[in-house]
Every structure is written in structure tokens, then in C-alpha cells.
Amino acid sequence: VTAGTAAPAAWVNGEPLGEISVLDRGLHYADGLFETIACPHGAPRLLARHLARLTGGCARLHLPAPDPEQLSAEICAAAAGPSAIVKLIVSRGRALARGYAATGAESPTRIMLRYPWAGEDPSLGEAGVRVRIADLRLGENPALAGLKTLNRLEQVLARAEWHDPSIAESLLFSSSGTLVSGTMSNVFLVHQGRLSTPRLERCGVAGVMRALVSELAAACGIDCTERALTELELQAAQEVFLTNAVIGLRPVRELAGVTLAVGPVTRRLQQALAGRLHGTEGEHA
Amino acid sequence: VTAGTAAPAAWVNGEPLGEISVLDRGLHYADGLFETIACPHGAPRLLARHLARLTGGCARLHLPAPDPEQLSAEICAAAAGPSAIVKLIVSRGRALARGYAATGAESPTRIMLRYPWAGEDPSLGEAGVRVRIADLRLGENPALAGLKTLNRLEQVLARAEWHDPSIAESLLFSSSGTLVSGTMSNVFLVHQGRLSTPRLERCGVAGVMRALVSELAAACGIDCTERALTELELQAAQEVFLTNAVIGLRPVRELAGVTLAVGPVTRRLQQALAGRLHGTEGEHA
């Protein structure tokens, strides 16, 4: 999901600014978190879920969370107008001393970027995408697992493994050999009509779309479990699909060169998700 | 090693600036590297080693390395004057598109910070320091092992585990249970006169001072091996010491509440290091 090269609009701590201090701990230590929020037609989608994940992540990093009401207002202001993707970064703020230790007196930095967005290409949701398997394996750390931290160098290296634009994503295993996610998406497998997605207690990002799709599966009567998944279980899947907050749910039509059907569980969940995201019961705040 | 709260002098791409773009990939993805260079009396110490590690790290991250001659000149200019610590950050530069993929057209950002430095407290090298064992374990990733990347959130969390200022450092094990390093130092153990230090093929930072001390040990006729070290081997060590580019070599006098002698191998290497760093055969460029 790569937008054009036009610079996005930017705000720092609510002010229209394009720069931050060279002392920011986000830069020095990846000491912060981010959210990427799809904002179709001016409205931030799944905003409450994004804010809840951010606030929970701040607590786990002992980072004073910005006021969610203020964040919400700033995100809505950034989202106003044509469809956009709003990226929010919250770092621990300017370093007050040299070294890893925070003094506790740091003031978090809020960085908001607004990227123009044409919206999802419906043909990808219809036909599905081609996916490969990454060579890189993700390190495991329960202290960071589930969080959307600024520690993204593994994803950068994994994304640098391929240049073929017809391949949309790469699936990653962890250092201990279990399936985790794509570089920028979560993954679900279907075996005999049952849905599963990797447990994220040792690495990975607890995606807002992953959680929503799990809930929709339950509502549709589709059995869905979070568990450790092996390479063999990935190969044995009858259906595979990806999720993230921007792409929604995207079927995989080819995995490591093997053609996959876009099957009935995937289609049922796409339908349920479209109803949730575009229907009258939408969750827009 | 925490300096005061005065803001350091700062340069970005050679210009005296205190800010960088909110689009910098160093901030968004920790997509970059850093070096922390001790500069006693205006002279960057072990500069050639720092530059070699940075250049090697850039190659591994497929990040266009800044010209070493230019970096060297900028570091020397920043170091001029009273003793200082110069921190250099090199990131992949401003993101030209949204997403983890680099376009290849990015231009690296060089950030240089000059912190005043009173020099090492000789009493710490003499008496040694108190050290604890971290609860957090480091994730393992051979693709990042040895590099001094901006991915430092594990170190931030490990450093947040203690607040007792009489404890200088915390030793970390990896997710698979082998000894790696301190939060901001490397570690050496002595068993029956033989020196060992953790192999860093799955995590850790290949320290310039670690390499120098290993070479000095060889020159002194002290057997030194890099290998996988267990918690039992740590507990069985007769001597333990820490190294980094700023502290040099620092003996451990107490490990997890157990008193350790500052023994003959440690003292011999301190002497050799002092000769190298302060002697006429100094390696200052």
C-alpha cells in the first residue's frame, strides 16, 4: 500500500509543523507507537479501536498517554475532506538526558500525517493477491508483542526482499518457527471451514482489523481460534486472507507460487465486513 | 552514563539545526544506525572503528553509506574543544512514499549531537560497579545481530526495570536463554584465567570497545573466545567486566547481589587498555 510521492500534511502536537526535535526519543530509540487510520470520505474508521490500542500500548511502555479526547479531535480534524490515511505517531518525546533511561519528566510528542487516499481498489478484494514467504524471521519478545511500536526495522528488511509489484505481501515466521503475520498485515487461515490466526504473545501486532474480523466470524457462526501455526498448517490451508486497517480483508489467490481458491469463508467474512464498514451499523467513532 | 539536562549542540547534514523532517524513516521505522563516540580533549577516540562499523551496518541494511571522509570531518569538527561525547545517527532519510518499502531514491540523514563530557570517573574503573540481571529477554534476529540500529526499545524497557542509582547496568539474556550484553555495554567473563564474551550472531551489538579488548587480550597472551554463554557460566565466573566506547572497561564488583573480586585478568586488561587509549601508540583516527 504505497501512496504517491506528494508530501503529506503534517502536525506536531496539534500545530501545523513538518519537523521534530533531533532529540526525540522516537528517533533515537524507536521509543513510541503508531496507528494508521483509514479515513474514507473524511471519517476516521474504527477510531475507538485505534485509540484503545494506542492507549493500551502507552501503558505497557510506561509512556504517558495523550488525552484520547484531544487525540480524537486532532485525528478527526486531520481526516476532514476527501478520503485520506492518517498516520499518528506518539513518542516519549524529547530526550531530557543522554542514555536509555527516561527521567519520567518527558512530554510525549504527537505527530499526525495526512496522506491522500484513493480508497481500496475493489479488484484486489475480488480477485485476491499474490503473497510470498519471507526469508527473514521475526525476533520474539513478549514485552513488545502485540504493540505497534516504532521498532519496524524487521519489517523494512522483510519488505526489501522483493521488488515484483505483482506480489502484494510477504508472510513472516518467528525465530522459533511459528507463523506471525505479513509485513504490514495480519493473516488468517481456513482449514475445513474453521478459521485460525496466529497467537501474538511473542511477536506481531494486535491489529484492529484482525480483532474486528475475529468478532465478525463469531457473529457469523464461524469457529475462529488464535493459536500457534506451523508452516505445514499454512501449506494445508484451503483459504488464506490478509487484514489490516486500510486494506480491510484481502484474499490470497497465490501463496509461494501455489494457487489458492478464494473460498466461501473468505467471501462470507468479506460480506460481513462490508456490511460493518459501509452499513448503517458502522462503527465510525 | 547519563549526562545533564542541557541540550546538546546539534547538526543535521552538516548544518547547525535542531530539527528533522517528521517524514524521516529513522523516526517512522527505526530505519538507521548510530554511533556514540567518546571524544576526550577534542579528539574522537577509535574513530576508524566507529566509521567501519557504521559503514558495514549501512551495507547490511542496504542503506547508502555517507562518505566516510565527510563523516570523519564532521565528527572531528563536532568533537573540537573540551571533552565531549558525539552521537551520530544515520537514517535512510526522508520517506518518499508511505509504507515500509524504500524507493531507493532516499537520501540518508546525518544527525550529529555533541554532549559535554566530564570524562570517565576513575573510581568506577578502580572499585567496579554493581550489576543486576534483567527480567526482559532480547529478541533474536540474525539479520540485525551485531548492528547498532535505532531499534532500541528493548534497551529502553530493560533500563526502566531499575531506578537504584547505585546499580550501573543490567545484564540481558536472549529469548533462547543465552547471555548477550548489558543494556548499553558488552560483557566479558573470566573462568580459570580464560576470557569469554557472548557470540553475537543472533542479537547484541558488535561493540568497538569489545573488539579492542579482545585484541588486547590476544596481545597479552590471554585466551579469549566468543561463544554461547549460559546463566550457569555467568554465575560461575571469577571475574566479570563491562565494556563500551565511553566507559572503556569497567569491572563488576557485585552481580545480582553476589560480591565479585576485581581479579588479575581484569586488571591486566585495564592496564593494557589505558596504555592503548592514553599511550603513545594511541589509535585516534
Side-chain angles (χ1 to χ4, degrees), chain B residues 64-151:
Chain B
D67 174 19
E69 292 303 325
Q70 181 184 34
L71 274 184
S72 177
E74 289 178 1
I75 293 165
C76 289
S83 294
I85 292 170
V86 171
K87 179 169 179 176
L88 167 65
I89 294 174
V90 174
S91 82
R92 202 180 303 270
R94 197 168 158 282
L96 300 178
R98 209 175 64 75
Y100 297 123
T103 66
E106 290 79 12
S107 176
T109 305
R110 308 186 304 282
I111 299 158
M112 195 98 56
L113 300 169
R114 180 194 208 281
Y115 297 85
W117 184 40
E120 266 302 285
D121 178 351
S123 73
L124 297 174
E126 187 53 39
V129 295
R130 298 179 65 209
V131 169
R132 66 189 290 281
I133 308 290
D135 296 326
L136 181 137
R137 292 189 164 208
L138 295 166
E140 298 182 334
N141 193 330
L144 297 176
L147 301 181
K148 208 165 168 74
T149 77
L150 298 177
N151 258 336

Side-chain angles (χ1 to χ4, degrees), chain A residues 156-284:
Chain A
V156 169
L157 291 181
R159 186 60 189 82
E161 287 181 8
W162 86 96
H163 299 284
D164 178 352
S166 78
I167 293 180
E169 179 61 301
S170 197
L171 293 183
L172 290 140
F173 289 82
S174 73
S175 62
S176 72
T178 65
L179 182 64
V180 181
S181 65
T183 62
M184 53 80 177
S185 62
N186 277 293
V187 60
F188 288 79
L189 312 185
V190 178
H191 299 92
Q192 282 77 45
R194 293 177 159 193
L195 199 57
S196 55
T197 189
R199 257 211 306 257
L200 303 176
E201 85 258 289
R202 292 196 281 185
C203 52
V205 174
V208 296
M209 193 57 75
R210 172 180 177 270
L212 176 57
V213 167
S214 295
E215 292 166 23
L216 291 174
C220 293
I222 299 167
D223 184 68
C224 180
T225 55
E226 296 186 14
R227 59 193 180 89
L229 288 162
T230 65
E231 187 163 6
L232 283 176
E233 284 172 295
L234 174 60
Q235 287 165 359
Q238 286 97 39
E239 304 176 35
V240 177
F241 63 82
L242 309 174
T243 61
N244 85 18
V246 172
I247 67 175
L249 190 165
R250 196 173 275 182
V252 175
R253 68 172 164 85
E254 185 191 305
L255 176 64
V258 177
T259 300
L260 280 168
V262 181
V265 174
T266 301
R267 290 301 186 208
R268 177 75 192 89
L269 289 167
Q270 277 186 301
Q271 192 179 30
L273 182 61
R276 173 64 73 96
L277 296 181
H278 309 303
T280 50
E281 81 280 42
E283 180 182 2
H284 292 295

